[in-house]
Amino acid sequence: MRAAPKRAAFLFILMRWFCLHSENDYFSKNCFMKKIFYTLFIFSNLSLIAQGKKFFENGDVQLKSTVEKINLKYSTDLPFVKVSINGKIYNFLLDTGAPTVISTAVYTDLGLEKKYKSSVKDSQKNKQDQIFTVLPEMIVDQLVFKNIGVMVMDLTATEFECFKVDGILGSNQMAKLFWRINYDENSLEATRDLSRFDLTGYDIIIPFDVKDQKTPIIKASILDQKINFTFDTGSSGNIKITNNNYNSKKVTEKIDVYGNSSVGAFGAGNPVSGYIFKASNIAVGNKTFNKAMVATGSSNLIGNDFLKNFVFVLDWEGRKIYMKQIKEASYKLESFGFGYRFIDSKPTVVYVLQEENFPLMVGDSIISINNINLDNLDKEGVCHYFLNRVEKDVTAIDMKIKRGGVVMSVNLKKKMYLKADS
């Protein structure tokens, strides 16, 4: 029997390296390179040569109260929850774009039994065999999940370790309940009965379909095209479309970009050209949004930089998302013109805004920024500067880089590439 493709869109850390933000929120005052529109880990269009749909439907959940209030920490535009497994507390990403995942370390500690092994292909077409197993119990505050199907993954890469992520509470697990999420108040609630949530004022209604691991897929109209988007709480970005959905004839405000726009679960892709642009309108469900900021890349998704402007309720039973807007967003693109990530503990330029005579190139090794030595960092140093970027809250930087064995000095000032709408 032919294997069915399954999209486990684990878009784990989609960070914006330009200042793409709501002028009314906290990050308008704290926009820095850590928040790049650059995908560090993406399991978008992940293909599982799989046992299939039934595996992700297994399991059940018990509640003590009609509506359970759950710990939520919204940080760096990503939602995290504390879970208890076998009496030990772990940090999990709350991710509608992925199935539930546990780290190899958790799998080993619990001595779980492998149910099957499947070839998994990431967004960069790299393949690896991954273990799938059943987690006997996971406790999330007063929610008790039993016999949940999970994927086992190695989460020891630098970015995972720096965020101290032990796994993902994914869509196959979330689909067993109704959820209300308010990032602005670090609020997460779950219930078996949708009527327990007062939906007064939730005037935006978005129907969705699901992939086999229950990830919500919504239809939206952009650039005069109808596109399927992943509704992805595991993405810290705004709105993203694939390069082949981009239509230059429909765009008036754009910036050309070049670089590794995504790094797959099992390796990096080749540098590619892309765009950051303002879409004149995007129609989602019964609502049309004007002048939204969009980037091209390897997947179509709607992430938390967009979702944080709403309180939203997820209804897998009725296949609907109910949204109430709580703040307006006016987006702008302000940047030093490049993005970097730590590769083998060395900060390396991976993404640049294409403009004439720009001094940095993809692949440049960064030695220092503003006299802070970033070369030869240990693991602790890498995590410190990954989470606390040197260029935070400054408008000019002096850099030393190395290219082809030659050390060069570069001076950059932050620049407005796309202005906020008045």
Side-chain angles (χ1 to χ4, degrees), residues 245-369:
N245 282 322
Y246 177 78
N247 185 346
S248 61
K249 295 179 180 178
K250 303 291 183 180
V251 174
T252 57
E253 297 179 82
K254 72 173 178 70
I255 297 294
D256 291 41
V257 299
Y258 179 75
N260 290 330
S261 60
S262 63
V263 177
F266 314 125
N270 295 319
V272 295
S273 297
Y275 307 93
I276 302 164
F277 66 96
K278 285 193 176 183
S280 57
N281 57 72
I282 298 176
V284 185
N286 61 343
K287 175 75 172 180
T288 297
F289 299 92
N290 298 316
K291 290 294 182 180
M293 191 82 77
V294 183
T296 63
S298 58
S299 57
N300 302 310
L301 63 91
I302 296 178
N304 291 327
D305 194 48
F306 179 84
L307 300 179
K308 69 185 180 185
N309 299 306
F310 304 85
V311 181
F312 53 96
V313 171
L314 295 165
D315 170 11
W316 268 272
E317 186 177 298
R319 301 283 178 86
K320 289 183 175 65
I321 301 166
Y322 302 88
M323 303 179 71
K324 177 171 66 175
Q325 191 158 359
I326 55 175
K327 52 188 174 183
E328 294 293 331
S330 179
Y331 296 105
K332 65 181 180 181
L333 169 51
E334 185 178 23
S335 173
F336 288 112
F338 75 102
Y340 67 92
R341 65 181 292 255
F342 289 89
I343 301 175
D344 296 328
S345 298
K346 293 186 179 295
T348 304
V349 176
V350 292
Y351 209 68
V352 294
L353 295 180
Q354 295 197 77
E355 56 179 323
E356 191 174 355
N357 299 320
F358 189 71
L360 295 178
M361 297 175 59
V362 169
D364 286 345
S365 179
I366 299 172
I367 298 172
S368 67
I369 299 177

Side-chain angles (χ1 to χ4, degrees), residues 8-11 41-46 122-123 151 153 160 265-266:
F10 173 17
L11 222 147
F41 286 92
I42 177 170
F43 292 77
S44 176
N45 296 317
L46 197 93
D122 74 0
S123 62
M151 182 164 64
M153 303 221 52
F160 286 105
F266 314 125

